[in-house]
Every structure is written in structure tokens, then in C-alpha cells.
Amino acid sequence: MTVPVALTVAGSDSGGGAGIQADLKTFAAFGVYGLTVITAVTAQNTLGVRAVQEIDPAVIASQLDAVAEDFSIGALKTGMLSSAAIIEAVADGITRHELRPLVVDPVMVAKSGDRLLRPEAVEALRRKLLPMARLVTPNIPEAEVLAGRPIRNREDRVIAARRIMEFGAHAVVIKGGHSEDDPVVDVLVDPEGVHEYAARRLATTSTHGTGCTFSAAIAASLAQGGDLAGAVGQAREYLTRALAAAPGIGHGHGPMNHFPSAEAARARR
């Protein structure tokens, strides 16, 4: 039996709810074997980020070479890439090993409000990484930065997505969590048109790692050979179940339950 393989290139979250840890849990929930390239080590919990240590770009490149030379990678995603030098090292490695399809989660700010992407690195993200992306998955504030325009409604999201696609990305999904809408609507724009994915808004503070989890779920589906629109739909459904089954731990923005099916099975006993 051939096991699908996916790679996450992201930062480590000591609280386990986001970053590399959330990505690996998501890959496992989808039955996908997960590989990692760690770009930064953060000291954080559900209340905030206390410290960040970036990994040397040469070490990041070596990690990427190591996994790409030994495994058949079906899809990959990027998360926290905090500097222009890191973005360039990752982009060069992806090009060197011809890794595709790529899902870019343009992580800029943690749920606690702590900045995870230097302002001067935004242009490197646009120039080096977006042209490689099969899909970019910004939330509304991130889409505003990448597109360079405000977003107030659905039409603005479509315009912003198309602006981001002008940098070379194949498709963009702008997530609706930062809006006040209920249901929450994620808007996917690709060459075929506009697709919407609605889900009920849950009253919960356990939202740490939602963006990481969403993009990892899409990458896992793509690694299994799924099409893009279907992968986004699967990710949206999985995220809703993970939020609904959140364990309610931590004193701030808590983590989700990345194995909601297991939780449902326990509840039936």
C-alpha cells in the first residue's frame, strides 16, 4: 500500500495548537504521512508568543533537501516564514526539487496579535512564493496586505483574490472567519470562477491554529490526489468538526481537536 506524503514548512508552536504541530495532527487525521521543515521555534501558549528563534536559512535549506531527496512528496504547504531570507531559501528549495502542488498560508500575525512576518518580508512573499502557489489561503487581514486594498464585503474579497492571483498564484481562498457573517463563508477564486463554502459560526474561543489546520487539510487532500475545489470543501468541513470538538484547554485562544472522529467515537461509548 502506498501512503500519501505531505510536507509542511512552518514554525514550531510549543503550545501544540498551531504551526508544525497542528499540521502534523491534521495530516494524520487525513491518513497522510507528514514531513517537516522547521523555520522557527516559538515559545508560546494560548495567551501569546513569548519568544521566537528563527532557524538559519542554510539549515532550512538542508532540511528541505533531506526530505525531498528521500520521499515522494504529494503536496506541500508553507506557514510561518518570518523573513525575506527564509522565504528565499524555501522558494529556492521548492524550485530545486520541483515540489508541487504548493499551498501557501501567508501567516502574518498569531491569534494573540503577535506579529510572525516582518513587514519587509511581504514583498518577498509576493515575488518569490506566490508565483509557485497552487493555492493561497489568507484570512481577510492578510488578503488586504497582499492585495494592497481594503476588504469590506464579498465583492471586495473576489477583487482582492484576483489581485493576488496577478502575482502568479493559480487560485486564492479568502477565509471568512474575521468577518461578522453567520454562516462563515470562505470564498475560493480560481480560473474557473468563484466558489463559496459556508459553515455555521461556532461560539468558541478555541480558535488557535485554524489557519494552519485549514491549509494543512487542503494539502493533505491534494496529496491524496483530490481536486482543488473538493480539497477546500473537505478542509472546511474538517475545520468545523475540529472546532466543535475542541477540548477547552488553555486560558486564552485554545486549540481545536484535530481528531474529532475519535472524540465522537468516545462519546458513543
Side-chain angles (χ1 to χ4, degrees):
M1 180 180 70
T2 301
V3 177
V5 176
L7 167 65
T8 171
V9 183
S12 170
D13 170 13
S14 54
I20 288 285
Q21 288 82 353
D23 293 344
L24 286 178
K25 293 173 189 176
T26 303
F27 290 166
F30 276 74
V32 172
Y33 185 81
L35 307 172
T36 66
V37 170
I38 299 177
T39 60
V41 175
T42 70
Q44 66 174 297
N45 54 28
T46 64
L47 296 171
V49 180
R50 299 186 180 185
V52 176
Q53 176 65 62
E54 295 178 353
I55 305 300
D56 186 290
V59 176
I60 292 172
S62 293
Q63 290 180 78
L64 211 160
D65 289 342
V67 295
E69 289 166 6
D70 193 34
F71 296 91
S72 178
I73 298 171
L76 72 158
K77 63 149 287 188
T78 60
M80 179 185 176
L81 306 174
S82 53
S83 72
I86 289 174
I87 291 169
E88 290 176 7
V90 170
D92 289 347
I94 291 172
T95 300
R96 186 163 58 251
H97 296 286
E98 300 180 342
L99 299 177
R100 298 290 193 280
L102 169 64
V103 178
V104 175
D105 181 14
V107 177
M108 296 183 183
V109 179
K111 191 69 67 178
S112 57
D114 298 281
R115 179 168 285 278
L116 300 176
L117 178 71
R118 297 176 186 171
E120 62 271 20
V122 174
E123 183 55 33
L125 187 69
R126 289 194 190 107
R127 180 172 47 85
K128 296 286 288 186
L129 214 54
L130 295 191
M132 302 179 182
R134 181 77 170 83
L135 180 68
V136 187
T137 65
N139 58 34
I140 290 173
E142 291 164 348
E144 289 180 326
V145 172
L146 290 176
R149 55 177 296 120
I151 296 175
R152 300 183 182 88
N153 51 43
R154 177 193 176 281
E155 290 71 27
D156 286 341
R157 278 202 257 174
V158 173
I159 293 170
R162 287 181 172 146
R163 170 60 179 148
I164 295 168
M165 289 169 69
E166 290 177 5
F167 293 110
H170 174 82
V172 178
V173 59
I174 300 182
K175 298 168 290 190
H178 282 72
S179 72
E180 299 299 321
D181 299 339
D182 190 2
V184 176
V185 178
D186 300 326
V187 177
L188 169 66
V189 181
D190 63 17
E192 284 70 54
V194 179
H195 318 266
E196 295 187 356
Y197 303 82
R200 70 187 190 279
R201 183 175 291 277
L202 300 174
T204 178
T205 57
S206 297
T207 55
H208 185 54
T210 50
C212 305
T213 299
F214 182 68
S215 56
I218 295 170
S221 292
L222 293 176
Q224 292 171 320
D227 65 277
L228 185 60
V232 174
Q234 281 191 312
R236 176 67 261 181
E237 189 271 337
Y238 170 72
L239 187 64
T240 298
R241 290 192 291 113
L243 284 166
I249 57 177
H251 296 87
H253 291 285
M256 296 168 288
N257 180 350
H258 287 89
F259 302 97
S261 297
E263 179 67 22
R266 282 193 295 269
R268 289 194 296 268
R269 290 174 187 163

